Amino acid sequence: MAIFKFLWRFFSFILLVLAVLAGVVDSIESVASSAVVTTPFGSIWADVDAEGLALVKQWVATHIGNTMLQAMDAAVLQQPAFGVFLSLSLLCWMVGYKRPSPAGRFAV
């Protein structure tokens, strides 16, 4: 059980690093263009794995429906990448959260 909590915290860390990286890239582009620039999550996913994005869209359209595909597109794929990565990082951290011992730090 402890290994699973560690893995969730590790995934949370990786997603946090990706969020910071996406935020830095967006801020550099914003300064260079003198306007606010945010990269949508869908465009990053399409750049990294276009086939995987197409498969997920196809699966959602066939198994759940086109209305859900449109909702997924608006709710997730069009959002800024740093926000999606931060949200996923928070969810993974919450799943892998390790509560402190009620007896104290040095309890056996």
Side-chain angles (χ1 to χ4, degrees), residues 36-54:
V36 177
V37 176
T38 57
T39 307
F41 179 69
S43 70
I44 288 181
W45 192 354
D47 289 343
V48 173
D49 185 21
E51 234 177 73
L53 178 60

Side-chain angles (χ1 to χ4, degrees), residues 4-77:
F4 292 116
K5 287 193 179 282
F6 169 76
L7 287 175
W8 282 111
R9 290 190 309 260
F10 180 73
F11 290 143
S12 172
F13 173 73
I14 297 298
L15 288 167
L16 183 63
V17 168
L18 289 174
V20 169
L21 187 64
V24 166
V25 168
D26 284 348
S27 64
I28 290 172
E29 288 181 9
S30 295
V31 169
S33 68
S34 297
V36 177
V37 176
T38 57
T39 307
F41 179 69
S43 70
I44 288 181
W45 192 354
D47 289 343
V48 173
D49 185 21
E51 234 177 73
L53 178 60
L55 285 173
V56 168
K57 282 184 174 184
Q58 179 185 10
W59 186 88
V60 169
T62 57
H63 289 86
I64 300 174
N66 283 334
T67 56
M68 189 61 178
L69 178 63
Q70 292 171 355
M72 180 186 81
D73 189 40
V76 178
L77 297 178

